[in-house]
Amino acid sequence: MKKYMVLCAGICAAMALTGCKSSESAYKKAYEKAKAQETAQQTAPQPAETEANVVAPLVDKPATDTPVVDNVDNVQVRQEKVSVVSGSGLKNYSVVVGSFSLKANADGLQQKLREAGYDAQLVKNDERNMYRVVATTFDNKADAAASRNEFRAQYPDAWLLYNAQ
């Protein structure tokens, strides 16, 4: 019995010592790769620095910067070309209460507004690939602005959309 225990302990010790391979070769490969990259960077031709190589910085246009239509009465209106996905159709001015990249999220808000008694519609802006949830739609800007102001109590980011067809 004692022989078997000593034999098992010896086998376990042998396995433990031989089972862990040295990762020295992995370190050596990584070192050689880094050296090769460093050498390649040093031998690569550097572009001549002249005043002709000056590049103007790029300025990103925020997503909220869309054309504003008819801003005489200080009510901003975004002009977008949209198509109706579900709903009865848009008039000239609409109150948008939500914008989503996923249709399922837009459908959820549209359903919530319909349950609240609004004729909510879902439109898609193909240029930006965004779904807009329209709560109400009007022929004139004054009525749309008044409706937007009411919706801002619950939806603070509500805005006016002029459908550019």
Side-chain angles (χ1 to χ4, degrees):
M1 180 80 169
K2 197 173 188 183
K3 286 183 183 181
Y4 289 119
M5 290 181 79
V6 170
L7 181 64
C8 286
I11 291 174
C12 288
M15 288 179 65
L17 293 174
T18 60
C20 299
K21 291 185 179 180
S22 172
S23 59
E24 199 172 300
S25 62
Y27 289 122
K28 186 176 181 180
K29 287 180 184 175
Y31 175 76
E32 289 172 354
K33 185 178 178 182
K35 275 294 198 187
Q37 286 178 347
E38 184 178 302
T39 307
Q41 286 179 353
Q42 289 175 352
T43 59
Q46 299 293 328
E49 293 185 26
T50 62
E51 291 183 28
N53 288 343
V54 176
V55 178
L58 212 93
V59 178
D60 289 334
K61 182 178 178 185
T64 57
D65 286 352
T66 54
V68 177
V69 184
D70 189 21
N71 199 16
V72 216
D73 51 2
N74 209 21
V75 176
Q76 288 193 350
V77 179
R78 294 186 199 172
Q79 180 177 356
E80 295 181 355
K81 186 173 183 179
V82 295
S83 56
V84 177
V85 175
S86 68
S88 57
L90 297 181
K91 296 179 182 174
N92 291 338
Y93 296 93
S94 303
V95 179
V96 177
V97 294
S99 297
F100 303 93
S101 58
L102 295 175
K103 185 176 184 290
N105 293 342
D107 286 335
L109 181 57
Q110 180 189 22
Q111 186 62 35
K112 182 179 174 183
L113 288 169
R114 285 189 173 173
E115 289 171 358
Y118 296 102
D119 182 27
Q121 302 178 53
L122 187 62
V123 298
K124 183 177 183 186
N125 179 335
D126 291 321
E127 293 174 4
R128 295 180 185 214
N129 200 22
M130 294 291 289
Y131 293 94
R132 312 289 193 194
V133 180
V134 174
T136 55
T137 184
F138 299 92
D139 285 322
N140 63 37
K141 185 178 173 183
D143 292 341
S147 178
R148 180 208 55 191
N149 293 340
E150 291 174 14
F151 274 105
R152 281 197 169 165
Q154 189 172 1
Y155 303 98
D157 294 330
W159 50 277
L160 293 182
L161 167 71
Y162 179 77
N163 188 17
Q165 292 183 2

